[in-house]
Amino acid sequence: MKLLMLDRQFKLLNTRNTLKEIEQLINECLADSGLYFSHLTADETVLYGEFEEYFENNCSQIQTVQVHLLTKEQLREEVLVDLNKYTERAEPEIEYLARQFDRNPIEETWRSLANLLDAIGWMDEVLGKLNEEPFTSLKVRLEGMMPVIQESVENQDISLIVDMLLYEILPFIKDITKAVQTVIDQEVRTYDLN
């Protein structure tokens, strides 16, 4: 297997330890470069997470792994774009999910909620990476909501789940969308002035 990182190429054996070797090489590169890890591309498959599972299932067939490293500015831009894309898609989905719970939740409804909660976990991580206002305030707000959301799911409290979706999570998502859009607009205006 070939590992491509920056302008370097490494030859690795396709074994169970390949991912550990890749992680070690990435960490060595990051320590000296001032860059940040973004994601991997294994042949044609883009991987932002779940590396262990993917490598466990596909290691013997992988021919090339590309490591994508970014500057701090590039990482911030990527995070803002990804966050904006997700929140714009999430708004109608949350409204639909609330209606499904309000009617009669089925197994698929619960799976959709689990997916939403995973996405909220991702947003919490992303907000932490941005580490600037207004995102730090949004992160604090999200962390305040999480115990109530988790309790409503654990207790399968349908009315509380619907309320959380409509009156906490949806406004939160709208506020993230607005904050990201404001930051993007400000940066575009600043760029235009220069």
Side-chain angles (χ1 to χ4, degrees):
M1 164 188 320
K2 283 191 303 189
L3 175 70
L4 307 173
M5 183 167 41
L6 298 175
D7 58 350
R8 298 174 67 190
Q9 181 173 315
F10 303 89
K11 182 79 173 150
L12 304 174
L13 297 176
N14 293 43
T15 67
R16 289 178 166 227
N17 294 323
T18 302
L19 183 58
K20 287 182 180 148
E21 291 178 59
I22 291 171
E23 289 171 347
Q24 182 179 350
L25 289 167
I26 290 171
N27 289 333
E28 289 171 9
C29 183
L30 293 178
D32 300 332
S33 70
L35 297 174
Y36 296 84
F37 175 76
S38 173
H39 62 282
L40 299 175
T41 303
D43 295 325
E44 302 295 317
T45 304
V46 178
L47 303 167
Y48 284 93
E50 312 283 330
F51 304 122
E52 289 179 19
E53 181 181 338
Y54 185 84
F55 274 79
E56 188 175 301
N57 295 330
N58 300 288
C59 188
S60 63
Q61 296 92 23
I62 298 172
Q63 295 178 12
T64 304
V65 174
Q66 173 74 49
V67 178
H68 299 270
L69 303 176
L70 303 172
T71 65
K72 186 174 184 177
E73 295 80 23
Q74 289 170 324
L75 180 63
R76 182 177 179 276
E77 183 179 309
E78 181 178 272
V79 164
L80 285 170
V81 168
D82 289 347
L83 191 56
N84 192 48
K85 285 179 186 176
Y86 178 78
T87 57
E88 286 178 346
R89 287 191 324 263
E91 288 181 30
E93 292 297 321
I94 292 168
E95 291 169 343
Y96 176 76
L97 187 58
R99 284 193 306 274
Q100 293 301 106
F101 268 102
D102 203 29
R103 289 184 184 137
N104 186 20
I106 58 175
E107 189 175 327
E108 183 180 328
T109 313
W110 287 101
R111 271 195 305 274
S112 294
L113 180 62
N115 290 339
L116 174 62
L117 295 177
D118 287 345
I120 288 172
W122 171 78
M123 282 188 279
D124 184 47
E125 186 179 314
V126 165
L127 292 171
K129 286 181 182 176
L130 290 170
N131 196 25
E132 62 186 76
E133 285 301 333
F135 304 110
T136 50
S137 297
L138 288 165
K139 181 173 175 49
V140 168
R141 183 173 153 198
L142 176 60
E143 290 170 350
M145 285 190 293
M146 287 311 296
V148 179
I149 293 169
Q150 290 169 339
E151 181 183 331
S152 68
V153 172
E154 287 170 7
N155 296 332
Q156 296 188 356
D157 185 336
I158 302 301
S159 64
L160 184 54
I161 290 171
V162 171
D163 284 350
M164 290 301 297
L165 288 168
L166 291 176
Y167 305 115
E168 296 291 336
I169 296 173
L170 185 59
F172 174 76
I173 294 293
K174 288 180 179 184
D175 289 346
I176 289 179
T177 303
K178 194 181 319 177
V180 169
Q181 207 52 57
T182 299
V183 169
I184 290 171
D185 290 348
Q186 286 173 345
E187 290 179 4
V188 167
R189 276 197 301 270
T190 301
Y191 178 77
D192 287 345
L193 293 173
N194 292 330

